[in-house]
Amino acid sequence: MERKDNGRLEGRTAIVTGSTYGIGEAIAKVLSSEGAISIITGRTDEEGERVAEEIKSAGGAAEFHHLDVTDEKEVDEVTRATYEKYGKIDILVNNAGIAGPNKPTHEYTREEWEYVFDVNVTGAFLCTKHVVPYMKKRGGGNIVYISSIYGIVGAQDIPAYHATKASNRIMAKIDALLYAKDNIRVNSVHPGFIWTPLVKDFLTDQSENLGGTIEDLRRELDAAHPIGHIGEPNDIAYGVLYLVSDEAKFVTGSELVIDGGYTSR
Ligand code: NAP
């Protein structure tokens, strides 16, 4: 992604969880293209280094830190290191997420259910918990929770995932209320289906369990979106850019739906 030099986020530090690939990678690249220093995080070090290098080659600023969001010690280390190096944390995007097993609720084991919550809910909680004190010290900041259309409407698959995405939606509203007085804006983003490894794996799983080719399933998914196709990671990244930019200074506790019309039905 080319450096745009509109400088909407010049010099701001942005921690993007789960930015080693998928939507998080696109968010980090778009924020850096507007002057932010993106802190790329995730568990796949090679991919994280790749994303950071690609941002730097395009003239942006980025660095990779290994981070499993379920590990509070690692969350503490990454947030502390960012604050100590740059003197501030302006932006946190709680993007890291997993789909979890695709089976009915009653077939889940407690461990399977809890692991999806550990990553998608507790992981986001831990990042917010550790970032807020630094944001307060500097007089403000921006937090975005990447929820889903399934934080708004239901579906008859991956039940734990949908429950976590509904949690993310309300977590954003609670934090918006709690920290408005601290000049910290908090919003949620609700993507429709976006072509990433998460969705590719989901379709592979469906094709193995229910039959049909991945191409057929992809066509069905495209048709489920009134606009005629699923989205791409940048569709979400530009929404996040808006929310964390000064143009959105009156926007907090809001839910930005980016879904090709999926939830309008
Ligand atoms: P993805 O392609 O599977 O990427 C997920 C990212 O999360 C990767 O960078 C992964 O990196 C990271 N991650 C997973 N577990 C982690 C952990 N324990 N600690 C830290 N990072 C972890 O998924 P995606 O489609 O880009 O989804 C990103 C977010 O958007 C998720 O919250 C998802 O719920 C949401 N979303 C996606 C869609 C969609 O259609 N794609 C729709 C609605 C909402 P590592 O493997 O390197 O750790």
Side-chain angles (χ1 to χ4, degrees):
M1 167 136 322
E2 290 296 303
R3 176 76 206 262
K4 293 224 177 61
D5 279 327
N6 292 328
R8 286 163 78 187
L9 303 177
E10 197 57 51
R12 294 185 206 179
T13 52
I15 297 176
V16 183
T17 69
S19 43
T20 46
Y21 49 90
I23 292 172
E25 172 180 351
I27 293 170
K29 286 181 171 173
V30 164
L31 300 189
S32 280
S33 77
E34 289 287 344
I37 302 149
S38 285
I39 309 300
I40 312 300
T41 64
R43 298 160 307 165
T44 320
D45 298 359
E46 236 171 65
E47 288 297 301
E49 298 289 3
R50 172 190 61 79
V51 176
E53 277 315 311
E54 285 176 10
I55 289 175
K56 286 190 269 186
S57 314
E63 58 185 79
F64 170 68
H65 289 258
H66 181 94
L67 173 63
D68 180 334
V69 292
T70 65
D71 184 335
E72 184 162 10
K73 191 167 160 283
E74 286 185 11
V75 174
D76 180 37
E77 282 165 5
V78 172
T79 50
R80 188 183 301 277
T82 304
Y83 186 77
E84 282 173 0
K85 182 163 178 186
Y86 297 104
K88 61 200 174 90
I89 300 174
D90 300 295
I91 296 162
L92 166 68
V93 184
N94 278 318
N95 167 79
I98 55 166
N102 186 7
K103 54 187 176 182
T105 306
H106 71 281
E107 291 179 15
Y108 263 68
T109 64
R110 183 180 181 128
E111 289 70 29
E112 287 169 337
W113 183 270
E114 285 182 349
Y115 186 60
V116 184
F117 269 78
D118 262 359
V119 178
N120 297 1
V121 176
T122 307
F125 151 68
L126 290 173
C127 292
T128 297
K129 170 186 161 166
H130 282 268
V131 150
V132 162
Y134 295 125
M135 289 183 170
K136 281 183 162 198
K137 267 194 206 174
R138 285 288 300 203
N142 258 286
I143 300 174
V144 176
Y145 286 82
I146 305 299
S147 173
S148 167
I149 46 176
Y150 297 121
I152 298 173
V153 296
Q156 55 199 33
D157 53 15
I158 49 174
Y161 175 81
H162 300 326
T164 63
K165 292 290 125 179
S167 299
N168 291 158
R169 173 172 171 266
I170 295 299
M171 288 163 85
K173 292 188 195 302
I174 293 164
D175 293 340
L177 293 170
L178 280 171
Y179 305 122
K181 64 177 184 330
D182 301 302
N183 195 31
I184 300 171
R185 294 190 294 102
V186 190
N187 294 286
S188 58
V189 171
H190 301 265
F193 281 84
I194 306 295
W195 195 239
T196 65
L198 183 143
V199 169
K200 284 178 211 162
D201 292 347
F202 176 73
L203 291 192
T204 306
D205 181 69
Q206 272 208 320
S207 137
E208 282 164 6
N209 292 327
L210 305 173
T213 65
I214 297 203
E215 290 70 30
D216 286 343
L217 293 169
R218 167 72 197 257
R219 269 191 289 278
E220 275 175 36
L221 216 47
D222 283 336
H225 296 71
I227 218 161
H229 55 82
I230 68 172
E232 56 187 62
N234 270 354
D235 293 328
I236 307 309
Y238 282 107
V240 173
L241 170 63
Y242 164 67
L243 289 173
V244 303
S245 72
D246 294 342
E247 286 90 336
K249 64 184 169 50
F250 194 52
V251 182
T252 198
S254 82
E255 39 196 270
L256 178 55
V257 177
I258 307 176
D259 71 348
Y262 189 104
T263 52
S264 297
R265 288 204 169 96

PDB file of all heavy atoms in Angstrom, residues 38-71:
ATOM      1  N   SER A  38       2.464   1.767  12.804  1.00  0.00           N
ATOM      2  CA  SER A  38       1.653   0.586  13.122  1.00  0.00           C
ATOM      3  C   SER A  38       2.468  -0.438  13.897  1.00  0.00           C
ATOM      4  O   SER A  38       3.556  -0.833  13.475  1.00  0.00           O
ATOM      5  CB  SER A  38       1.117  -0.056  11.839  1.00  0.00           C
ATOM      6  OG  SER A  38       0.065   0.713  11.324  1.00  0.00           O
ATOM      7  N   ILE A  39       1.922  -0.859  15.024  1.00  0.00           N
ATOM      8  CA  ILE A  39       2.526  -1.940  15.793  1.00  0.00           C
ATOM      9  C   ILE A  39       1.791  -3.205  15.358  1.00  0.00           C
ATOM     10  O   ILE A  39       0.626  -3.427  15.706  1.00  0.00           O
ATOM     11  CB  ILE A  39       2.371  -1.711  17.324  1.00  0.00           C
ATOM     12  CG1 ILE A  39       2.843  -0.290  17.705  1.00  0.00           C
ATOM     13  CG2 ILE A  39       3.111  -2.795  18.102  1.00  0.00           C
ATOM     14  CD1 ILE A  39       4.290   0.037  17.400  1.00  0.00           C
ATOM     15  N   ILE A  40       2.488  -3.977  14.526  1.00  0.00           N
ATOM     16  CA  ILE A  40       1.921  -5.212  13.968  1.00  0.00           C
ATOM     17  C   ILE A  40       2.052  -6.298  15.036  1.00  0.00           C
ATOM     18  O   ILE A  40       3.136  -6.475  15.600  1.00  0.00           O
ATOM     19  CB  ILE A  40       2.725  -5.672  12.716  1.00  0.00           C
ATOM     20  CG1 ILE A  40       2.960  -4.519  11.741  1.00  0.00           C
ATOM     21  CG2 ILE A  40       2.078  -6.868  12.047  1.00  0.00           C
ATOM     22  CD1 ILE A  40       1.739  -3.881  11.199  1.00  0.00           C
ATOM     23  N   THR A  41       0.985  -7.020  15.300  1.00  0.00           N
ATOM     24  CA  THR A  41       1.065  -8.058  16.332  1.00  0.00           C
ATOM     25  C   THR A  41       0.336  -9.335  15.900  1.00  0.00           C
ATOM     26  O   THR A  41      -0.554  -9.293  15.053  1.00  0.00           O
ATOM     27  CB  THR A  41       0.438  -7.574  17.664  1.00  0.00           C
ATOM     28  OG1 THR A  41      -0.955  -7.340  17.448  1.00  0.00           O
ATOM     29  CG2 THR A  41       1.089  -6.318  18.184  1.00  0.00           C
ATOM     30  N   GLY A  42       0.772 -10.434  16.498  1.00  0.00           N
ATOM     31  CA  GLY A  42       0.162 -11.730  16.212  1.00  0.00           C
ATOM     32  C   GLY A  42       1.134 -12.814  16.644  1.00  0.00           C
ATOM     33  O   GLY A  42       2.190 -12.513  17.209  1.00  0.00           O
ATOM     34  N   ARG A  43       0.757 -14.066  16.359  1.00  0.00           N
ATOM     35  CA  ARG A  43       1.600 -15.174  16.822  1.00  0.00           C
ATOM     36  C   ARG A  43       2.517 -15.716  15.737  1.00  0.00           C
ATOM     37  O   ARG A  43       3.431 -16.464  16.005  1.00  0.00           O
ATOM     38  CB  ARG A  43       0.704 -16.313  17.337  1.00  0.00           C
ATOM     39  CG  ARG A  43      -0.167 -15.921  18.526  1.00  0.00           C
ATOM     40  CD  ARG A  43      -1.322 -16.888  18.657  1.00  0.00           C
ATOM     41  NE  ARG A  43      -2.031 -16.986  17.398  1.00  0.00           N
ATOM     42  CZ  ARG A  43      -2.901 -17.941  17.081  1.00  0.00           C
ATOM     43  NH1 ARG A  43      -3.165 -18.887  17.942  1.00  0.00           N
ATOM     44  NH2 ARG A  43      -3.501 -17.944  15.908  1.00  0.00           N
ATOM     45  N   THR A  44       2.240 -15.354  14.468  1.00  0.00           N
ATOM     46  CA  THR A  44       3.043 -15.876  13.352  1.00  0.00           C
ATOM     47  C   THR A  44       4.119 -14.860  13.008  1.00  0.00           C
ATOM     48  O   THR A  44       3.894 -13.928  12.229  1.00  0.00           O
ATOM     49  CB  THR A  44       2.137 -16.125  12.120  1.00  0.00           C
ATOM     50  OG1 THR A  44       0.905 -16.672  12.558  1.00  0.00           O
ATOM     51  CG2 THR A  44       2.777 -17.069  11.134  1.00  0.00           C
ATOM     52  N   ASP A  45       5.297 -15.055  13.618  1.00  0.00           N
ATOM     53  CA  ASP A  45       6.346 -14.038  13.531  1.00  0.00           C
ATOM     54  C   ASP A  45       6.749 -13.714  12.091  1.00  0.00           C
ATOM     55  O   ASP A  45       6.929 -12.552  11.732  1.00  0.00           O
ATOM     56  CB  ASP A  45       7.578 -14.480  14.332  1.00  0.00           C
ATOM     57  CG  ASP A  45       7.252 -14.631  15.817  1.00  0.00           C
ATOM     58  OD1 ASP A  45       6.101 -14.373  16.213  1.00  0.00           O
ATOM     59  OD2 ASP A  45       8.150 -15.009  16.582  1.00  0.00           O
ATOM     60  N   GLU A  46       6.879 -14.762  11.267  1.00  0.00           N
ATOM     61  CA  GLU A  46       7.315 -14.533   9.881  1.00  0.00           C
ATOM     62  C   GLU A  46       6.347 -13.613   9.136  1.00  0.00           C
ATOM     63  O   GLU A  46       6.762 -12.712   8.413  1.00  0.00           O
ATOM     64  CB  GLU A  46       7.319 -15.875   9.161  1.00  0.00           C
ATOM     65  CG  GLU A  46       8.649 -16.240   8.538  1.00  0.00           C
ATOM     66  CD  GLU A  46       8.620 -17.656   8.037  1.00  0.00           C
ATOM     67  OE1 GLU A  46       7.857 -17.942   7.103  1.00  0.00           O
ATOM     68  OE2 GLU A  46       9.360 -18.490   8.611  1.00  0.00           O
ATOM     69  N   GLU A  47       5.058 -13.861   9.326  1.00  0.00           N
ATOM     70  CA  GLU A  47       4.042 -13.045   8.643  1.00  0.00           C
ATOM     71  C   GLU A  47       4.045 -11.624   9.192  1.00  0.00           C
ATOM     72  O   GLU A  47       3.884 -10.648   8.456  1.00  0.00           O
ATOM     73  CB  GLU A  47       2.652 -13.677   8.802  1.00  0.00           C
ATOM     74  CG  GLU A  47       2.459 -14.935   7.998  1.00  0.00           C
ATOM     75  CD  GLU A  47       2.555 -14.682   6.499  1.00  0.00           C
ATOM     76  OE1 GLU A  47       1.774 -13.876   5.983  1.00  0.00           O
ATOM     77  OE2 GLU A  47       3.435 -15.268   5.851  1.00  0.00           O
ATOM     78  N   GLY A  48       4.218 -11.501  10.505  1.00  0.00           N
ATOM     79  CA  GLY A  48       4.245 -10.168  11.117  1.00  0.00           C
ATOM     80  C   GLY A  48       5.418  -9.352  10.611  1.00  0.00           C
ATOM     81  O   GLY A  48       5.282  -8.163  10.294  1.00  0.00           O
ATOM     82  N   GLU A  49       6.590 -10.011  10.498  1.00  0.00           N
ATOM     83  CA  GLU A  49       7.779  -9.316   9.974  1.00  0.00           C
ATOM     84  C   GLU A  49       7.535  -8.919   8.519  1.00  0.00           C
ATOM     85  O   GLU A  49       7.936  -7.837   8.084  1.00  0.00           O
ATOM     86  CB  GLU A  49       9.029 -10.210  10.066  1.00  0.00           C
ATOM     87  CG  GLU A  49       9.432 -10.604  11.480  1.00  0.00           C
ATOM     88  CD  GLU A  49      10.005  -9.455  12.319  1.00  0.00           C
ATOM     89  OE1 GLU A  49      10.056  -8.312  11.833  1.00  0.00           O
ATOM     90  OE2 GLU A  49      10.385  -9.728  13.479  1.00  0.00           O
ATOM     91  N   ARG A  50       6.878  -9.792   7.764  1.00  0.00           N
ATOM     92  CA  ARG A  50       6.579  -9.481   6.355  1.00  0.00           C
ATOM     93  C   ARG A  50       5.718  -8.221   6.250  1.00  0.00           C
ATOM     94  O   ARG A  50       6.025  -7.295   5.484  1.00  0.00           O
ATOM     95  CB  ARG A  50       5.845 -10.670   5.686  1.00  0.00           C
ATOM     96  CG  ARG A  50       5.322 -10.349   4.280  1.00  0.00           C
ATOM     97  CD  ARG A  50       4.407 -11.433   3.723  1.00  0.00           C
ATOM     98  NE  ARG A  50       3.200 -11.674   4.496  1.00  0.00           N
ATOM     99  CZ  ARG A  50       2.099 -10.925   4.464  1.00  0.00           C
ATOM    100  NH1 ARG A  50       2.043  -9.864   3.695  1.00  0.00           N
ATOM    101  NH2 ARG A  50       1.050 -11.220   5.218  1.00  0.00           N
ATOM    102  N   VAL A  51       4.654  -8.158   7.067  1.00  0.00           N
ATOM    103  CA  VAL A  51       3.749  -6.994   7.003  1.00  0.00           C
ATOM    104  C   VAL A  51       4.516  -5.718   7.363  1.00  0.00           C
ATOM    105  O   VAL A  51       4.414  -4.693   6.668  1.00  0.00           O
ATOM    106  CB  VAL A  51       2.529  -7.187   7.933  1.00  0.00           C
ATOM    107  CG1 VAL A  51       1.652  -5.932   7.946  1.00  0.00           C
ATOM    108  CG2 VAL A  51       1.701  -8.399   7.514  1.00  0.00           C
ATOM    109  N   ALA A  52       5.328  -5.792   8.423  1.00  0.00           N
ATOM    110  CA  ALA A  52       6.086  -4.601   8.847  1.00  0.00           C
ATOM    111  C   ALA A  52       7.039  -4.163   7.737  1.00  0.00           C
ATOM    112  O   ALA A  52       7.148  -2.971   7.419  1.00  0.00           O
ATOM    113  CB  ALA A  52       6.851  -4.897  10.136  1.00  0.00           C
ATOM    114  N   GLU A  53       7.717  -5.147   7.111  1.00  0.00           N
ATOM    115  CA  GLU A  53       8.657  -4.815   6.025  1.00  0.00           C
ATOM    116  C   GLU A  53       7.920  -4.178   4.850  1.00  0.00           C
ATOM    117  O   GLU A  53       8.404  -3.213   4.252  1.00  0.00           O
ATOM    118  CB  GLU A  53       9.386  -6.089   5.540  1.00  0.00           C
ATOM    119  CG  GLU A  53      10.570  -6.460   6.392  1.00  0.00           C
ATOM    120  CD  GLU A  53      11.478  -5.288   6.754  1.00  0.00           C
ATOM    121  OE1 GLU A  53      11.861  -4.527   5.840  1.00  0.00           O
ATOM    122  OE2 GLU A  53      11.778  -5.108   7.947  1.00  0.00           O
ATOM    123  N   GLU A  54       6.751  -4.725   4.504  1.00  0.00           N
ATOM    124  CA  GLU A  54       6.005  -4.177   3.353  1.00  0.00           C
ATOM    125  C   GLU A  54       5.586  -2.733   3.627  1.00  0.00           C
ATOM    126  O   GLU A  54       5.605  -1.886   2.736  1.00  0.00           O
ATOM    127  CB  GLU A  54       4.785  -5.070   3.044  1.00  0.00           C
ATOM    128  CG  GLU A  54       5.195  -6.374   2.367  1.00  0.00           C
ATOM    129  CD  GLU A  54       4.050  -7.349   2.130  1.00  0.00           C
ATOM    130  OE1 GLU A  54       2.862  -6.977   2.316  1.00  0.00           O
ATOM    131  OE2 GLU A  54       4.347  -8.506   1.776  1.00  0.00           O
ATOM    132  N   ILE A  55       5.207  -2.455   4.862  1.00  0.00           N
ATOM    133  CA  ILE A  55       4.822  -1.073   5.208  1.00  0.00           C
ATOM    134  C   ILE A  55       6.039  -0.156   5.084  1.00  0.00           C
ATOM    135  O   ILE A  55       5.961   0.933   4.501  1.00  0.00           O
ATOM    136  CB  ILE A  55       4.217  -1.026   6.631  1.00  0.00           C
ATOM    137  CG1 ILE A  55       2.840  -1.696   6.631  1.00  0.00           C
ATOM    138  CG2 ILE A  55       4.122   0.422   7.136  1.00  0.00           C
ATOM    139  CD1 ILE A  55       2.185  -1.830   7.995  1.00  0.00           C
ATOM    140  N   LYS A  56       7.171  -0.626   5.599  1.00  0.00           N
ATOM    141  CA  LYS A  56       8.383   0.213   5.558  1.00  0.00           C
ATOM    142  C   LYS A  56       8.837   0.427   4.108  1.00  0.00           C
ATOM    143  O   LYS A  56       9.229   1.535   3.738  1.00  0.00           O
ATOM    144  CB  LYS A  56       9.485  -0.407   6.416  1.00  0.00           C
ATOM    145  CG  LYS A  56       9.185  -0.222   7.913  1.00  0.00           C
ATOM    146  CD  LYS A  56      10.350  -0.602   8.778  1.00  0.00           C
ATOM    147  CE  LYS A  56      10.260  -2.049   9.164  1.00  0.00           C
ATOM    148  NZ  LYS A  56      11.247  -2.513  10.117  1.00  0.00           N
ATOM    149  N   SER A  57       8.751  -0.618   3.287  1.00  0.00           N
ATOM    150  CA  SER A  57       9.159  -0.467   1.874  1.00  0.00           C
ATOM    151  C   SER A  57       8.272   0.533   1.158  1.00  0.00           C
ATOM    152  O   SER A  57       8.692   1.162   0.189  1.00  0.00           O
ATOM    153  CB  SER A  57       9.049  -1.778   1.104  1.00  0.00           C
ATOM    154  OG  SER A  57       9.578  -2.807   1.810  1.00  0.00           O
ATOM    155  N   ALA A  58       7.037   0.668   1.609  1.00  0.00           N
ATOM    156  CA  ALA A  58       6.121   1.629   0.962  1.00  0.00           C
ATOM    157  C   ALA A  58       6.269   3.029   1.561  1.00  0.00           C
ATOM    158  O   ALA A  58       5.489   3.935   1.243  1.00  0.00           O
ATOM    159  CB  ALA A  58       4.680   1.139   1.097  1.00  0.00           C
ATOM    160  N   GLY A  59       7.255   3.193   2.462  1.00  0.00           N
ATOM    161  CA  GLY A  59       7.515   4.537   3.012  1.00  0.00           C
ATOM    162  C   GLY A  59       6.809   4.809   4.333  1.00  0.00           C
ATOM    163  O   GLY A  59       6.849   5.930   4.851  1.00  0.00           O
ATOM    164  N   GLY A  60       6.161   3.779   4.890  1.00  0.00           N
ATOM    165  CA  GLY A  60       5.458   3.963   6.164  1.00  0.00           C
ATOM    166  C   GLY A  60       6.294   3.502   7.351  1.00  0.00           C
ATOM    167  O   GLY A  60       7.423   3.052   7.185  1.00  0.00           O
ATOM    168  N   ALA A  61       5.720   3.602   8.545  1.00  0.00           N
ATOM    169  CA  ALA A  61       6.421   3.202   9.761  1.00  0.00           C
ATOM    170  C   ALA A  61       5.675   2.049  10.419  1.00  0.00           C
ATOM    171  O   ALA A  61       4.440   2.104  10.569  1.00  0.00           O
ATOM    172  CB  ALA A  61       6.508   4.385  10.728  1.00  0.00           C
ATOM    173  N   ALA A  62       6.427   1.023  10.809  1.00  0.00           N
ATOM    174  CA  ALA A  62       5.803  -0.144  11.448  1.00  0.00           C
ATOM    175  C   ALA A  62       6.858  -0.978  12.148  1.00  0.00           C
ATOM    176  O   ALA A  62       8.034  -0.912  11.789  1.00  0.00           O
ATOM    177  CB  ALA A  62       5.102  -1.013  10.400  1.00  0.00           C
ATOM    178  N   GLU A  63       6.438  -1.712  13.144  1.00  0.00           N
ATOM    179  CA  GLU A  63       7.315  -2.726  13.730  1.00  0.00           C
ATOM    180  C   GLU A  63       6.459  -3.875  14.204  1.00  0.00           C
ATOM    181  O   GLU A  63       5.283  -3.702  14.531  1.00  0.00           O
ATOM    182  CB  GLU A  63       8.152  -2.156  14.878  1.00  0.00           C
ATOM    183  CG  GLU A  63       7.359  -1.555  16.003  1.00  0.00           C
ATOM    184  CD  GLU A  63       8.293  -0.910  17.048  1.00  0.00           C
ATOM    185  OE1 GLU A  63       8.781   0.202  16.814  1.00  0.00           O
ATOM    186  OE2 GLU A  63       8.486  -1.552  18.087  1.00  0.00           O
ATOM    187  N   PHE A  64       7.067  -5.078  14.217  1.00  0.00           N
ATOM    188  CA  PHE A  64       6.320  -6.264  14.626  1.00  0.00           C
ATOM    189  C   PHE A  64       6.658  -6.660  16.054  1.00  0.00           C
ATOM    190  O   PHE A  64       7.816  -6.619  16.461  1.00  0.00           O
ATOM    191  CB  PHE A  64       6.641  -7.452  13.700  1.00  0.00           C
ATOM    192  CG  PHE A  64       6.077  -8.755  14.214  1.00  0.00           C
ATOM    193  CD1 PHE A  64       4.701  -8.968  14.244  1.00  0.00           C
ATOM    194  CD2 PHE A  64       6.905  -9.755  14.711  1.00  0.00           C
ATOM    195  CE1 PHE A  64       4.161 -10.154  14.751  1.00  0.00           C
ATOM    196  CE2 PHE A  64       6.380 -10.948  15.214  1.00  0.00           C
ATOM    197  CZ  PHE A  64       5.010 -11.140  15.228  1.00  0.00           C
ATOM    198  N   HIS A  65       5.636  -7.007  16.820  1.00  0.00           N
ATOM    199  CA  HIS A  65       5.830  -7.592  18.152  1.00  0.00           C
ATOM    200  C   HIS A  65       5.013  -8.878  18.229  1.00  0.00           C
ATOM    201  O   HIS A  65       3.815  -8.863  17.929  1.00  0.00           O
ATOM    202  CB  HIS A  65       5.326  -6.649  19.249  1.00  0.00           C
ATOM    203  CG  HIS A  65       6.187  -5.443  19.434  1.00  0.00           C
ATOM    204  ND1 HIS A  65       7.078  -5.318  20.460  1.00  0.00           N
ATOM    205  CD2 HIS A  65       6.283  -4.311  18.701  1.00  0.00           C
ATOM    206  CE1 HIS A  65       7.696  -4.145  20.370  1.00  0.00           C
ATOM    207  NE2 HIS A  65       7.231  -3.518  19.302  1.00  0.00           N
ATOM    208  N   HIS A  66       5.654  -9.943  18.686  1.00  0.00           N
ATOM    209  CA  HIS A  66       4.917 -11.191  18.894  1.00  0.00           C
ATOM    210  C   HIS A  66       3.872 -10.961  19.993  1.00  0.00           C
ATOM    211  O   HIS A  66       4.201 -10.429  21.055  1.00  0.00           O
ATOM    212  CB  HIS A  66       5.886 -12.307  19.316  1.00  0.00           C
ATOM    213  CG  HIS A  66       5.204 -13.610  19.512  1.00  0.00           C
ATOM    214  ND1 HIS A  66       5.117 -14.561  18.523  1.00  0.00           N
ATOM    215  CD2 HIS A  66       4.532 -14.118  20.577  1.00  0.00           C
ATOM    216  CE1 HIS A  66       4.437 -15.595  18.973  1.00  0.00           C
ATOM    217  NE2 HIS A  66       4.058 -15.352  20.224  1.00  0.00           N
ATOM    218  N   LEU A  67       2.643 -11.340  19.733  1.00  0.00           N
ATOM    219  CA  LEU A  67       1.607 -11.157  20.763  1.00  0.00           C
ATOM    220  C   LEU A  67       0.476 -12.160  20.597  1.00  0.00           C
ATOM    221  O   LEU A  67      -0.224 -12.176  19.577  1.00  0.00           O
ATOM    222  CB  LEU A  67       1.028  -9.726  20.691  1.00  0.00           C
ATOM    223  CG  LEU A  67      -0.174  -9.450  21.607  1.00  0.00           C
ATOM    224  CD1 LEU A  67       0.210  -9.585  23.081  1.00  0.00           C
ATOM    225  CD2 LEU A  67      -0.743  -8.060  21.340  1.00  0.00           C
ATOM    226  N   ASP A  68       0.299 -12.974  21.632  1.00  0.00           N
ATOM    227  CA  ASP A  68      -0.903 -13.797  21.748  1.00  0.00           C
ATOM    228  C   ASP A  68      -1.814 -13.036  22.703  1.00  0.00           C
ATOM    229  O   ASP A  68      -1.463 -12.832  23.875  1.00  0.00           O
ATOM    230  CB  ASP A  68      -0.534 -15.173  22.323  1.00  0.00           C
ATOM    231  CG  ASP A  68      -1.743 -16.084  22.464  1.00  0.00           C
ATOM    232  OD1 ASP A  68      -2.878 -15.577  22.612  1.00  0.00           O
ATOM    233  OD2 ASP A  68      -1.562 -17.309  22.435  1.00  0.00           O
ATOM    234  N   VAL A  69      -2.978 -12.605  22.225  1.00  0.00           N
ATOM    235  CA  VAL A  69      -3.818 -11.719  23.039  1.00  0.00           C
ATOM    236  C   VAL A  69      -4.385 -12.400  24.286  1.00  0.00           C
ATOM    237  O   VAL A  69      -4.894 -11.729  25.175  1.00  0.00           O
ATOM    238  CB  VAL A  69      -4.986 -11.092  22.219  1.00  0.00           C
ATOM    239  CG1 VAL A  69      -4.474 -10.112  21.194  1.00  0.00           C
ATOM    240  CG2 VAL A  69      -5.866 -12.172  21.591  1.00  0.00           C
ATOM    241  N   THR A  70      -4.286 -13.728  24.346  1.00  0.00           N
ATOM    242  CA  THR A  70      -4.794 -14.413  25.551  1.00  0.00           C
ATOM    243  C   THR A  70      -3.756 -14.419  26.670  1.00  0.00           C
ATOM    244  O   THR A  70      -4.048 -14.879  27.774  1.00  0.00           O
ATOM    245  CB  THR A  70      -5.190 -15.884  25.251  1.00  0.00           C
ATOM    246  OG1 THR A  70      -4.011 -16.617  24.890  1.00  0.00           O
ATOM    247  CG2 THR A  70      -6.208 -15.974  24.128  1.00  0.00           C
ATOM    248  N   ASP A  71      -2.559 -13.940  26.373  1.00  0.00           N
ATOM    249  CA  ASP A  71      -1.464 -13.973  27.351  1.00  0.00           C
ATOM    250  C   ASP A  71      -1.261 -12.561  27.921  1.00  0.00           C
ATOM    251  O   ASP A  71      -0.671 -11.690  27.273  1.00  0.00           O
ATOM    252  CB  ASP A  71      -0.198 -14.474  26.631  1.00  0.00           C
ATOM    253  CG  ASP A  71       0.982 -14.629  27.574  1.00  0.00           C
ATOM    254  OD1 ASP A  71       1.025 -13.943  28.623  1.00  0.00           O
ATOM    255  OD2 ASP A  71       1.874 -15.436  27.255  1.00  0.00           O
TER     256      ASP A  71
END
